Amino acid sequence: MNRQVPNYLDLLNAAIREIEGTVTTENARAKNNSLQLNTVKKTEDIETNQNPVRVGAAIPDAITILDAVITKSKQYQSSRIYDVTSYDHFYGTQSEYHEDILNYMVELEIEICQPKLDNMDKQPEVTGAMRRELVDWLVLIFQGTNDKVLHMTVNYIDTFLSRMSIVQSNLHLLACAAAMVASGEIFTENQLHRMERIILSVMKFELCRPTILCFIRHLCFIGGVNAKDSLLAYYMSELVLIEEKPVDLTWNFDNNTIYWVGVQPFTFTKVLAEFTKGNFWLAMNEFCAGEHGGTHIDAPYHFNKEGLKVGDIPLERLIAHGVVIDISKEVEITGPSAKLEASHLIKWVEQNGEFESNTVILVKFGWSQYFHNKTEFLGTIQESSNSLHFPGLSEEAAQWIADTKKVVGVGVDTASIDPGSVTAGLAHRVLNGQNIYLLENVKLLEDLPARDFTLLVMPMKIREGTGAPLRLVATPKFFSP
């Protein structure tokens, strides 16, 4: 009869209490003797992997009790189907859900705990012979100890091997990790921690070797340095040890740098480069340029009368969390008419999580590859803003970004935030209107992570500037604001 089965943990606890009240000491002793007599057979099964040990690691005590019930019940039935009525001979009473519990546990054990028969098929480097040698090694290690640890260790190894490949050099590492997990099911946390302390004491491991922080701390102590300056010293000492290299996202400024149509281009003039009469070297140059060209910043004041000018942008907004939204593959298909839409932003958040406060978004259209070809980069050979053709942000995407209230800047690898065909500056007006600065002509040739890096936005500090030449650097997360 089919019936609604309640929570299995509650039912299992009820069944265990009922069984524990009826199982006699003699039966339990008989069960232990039976387990000991079968030890050799189980070891052989493990080595040949013909009869994998099935272990319900989550509740071993309950499984031992129920296994004793099943063993006793088999004396009264020849079929392998667990007939709940046969248990009446063993404990005199009948629980309504015993059969459901047993069937559930068998299914769960097969699904979760039992290795697959073809567990070695996924291993390109590990062979069956290596596995057998590993089992022999484990048998020697666990000889004279609790058999459960051995059986559970081998079970975990085989289950892992049936689901994931592993290189040969990590096989013993897998065995040690599996043994540790299996031991955790048998030994208490205090026992394991106590043994760990004993090992460390006997081996006399020096766990606190001197580091640069120890030296700096000692130096600050004897010098009477205050807490604020000490923390700054710790921070600076860590910076010099960082292995990751920052990435420069800035194009060089020279006489070939692309500037916006109608804007004074960058002109560079060498004034002096020679040894003086005093026999020392002296070099000086001059340059002249508009605000909006090359890798540069658009201050909010650019399209917002009440917006911040370059010199007014707070420093904390210029050290920001960086994220990259890469739609370059799509742009390869759609070409210069491509736009970043709000749907791209929503999809990015679904895959990578919400933006952090003080974030700068970099949009990668894959357009940096054309920077040294002005015609390709601007999409025209005409010196007119009405004929430009390159990707940019849609007005809806700009509004979506502004509505997050978490973004302080947006950068693109094209000549403008707006698509080249848009002359009304729609995305500019939306973003600058919310005091969000813009970064244009960003050099996005290297692959950056989607998030978890820091951007250092370093514009020339022009007091009244609507824009300015920019040095933009992506750094490891350690520099996080």
Side-chain angles (χ1 to χ4, degrees), residues 37-61:
L37 291 174
N38 289 331
T39 299
V40 177
K41 177 64 171 66
K42 290 181 178 179
T43 304
E44 294 174 353
D45 291 340
I46 293 172
E47 292 177 335
T48 59
N49 198 28
Q50 297 300 313
N51 184 24
V53 181
R54 301 191 304 176
V55 180
I59 40 176
D61 293 337

Side-chain angles (χ1 to χ4, degrees), residues 12 32 46 164 216 262 279 324 388 481:
L12 183 60
N32 289 334
I46 293 172
M164 182 176 291
I216 296 295
N279 201 30
V324 173
L388 301 175

Side-chain angles (χ1 to χ4, degrees), residues 308 313-323 354-362 401 404-410 435-437 439 451-457 477 479-481:
L308 297 170
I313 300 175
L315 187 60
E316 56 267 22
R317 292 194 186 185
L318 300 176
I319 304 175
H321 301 287
V323 304
E354 298 288 340
F355 296 130
E356 298 178 83
S357 296
N358 208 54
T359 287
V360 171
I361 298 174
L362 299 180
I401 291 171
T404 67
K405 306 298 182 182
K406 295 181 178 180
V407 177
V408 296
V410 179
N435 261 334
I436 297 173
Y437 59 77
L439 312 175
R451 63 180 306 154
D452 294 332
F453 62 93
T454 300
L455 279 176
L456 304 180
V457 184
K477 188 65 173 180
F479 291 87
S480 178

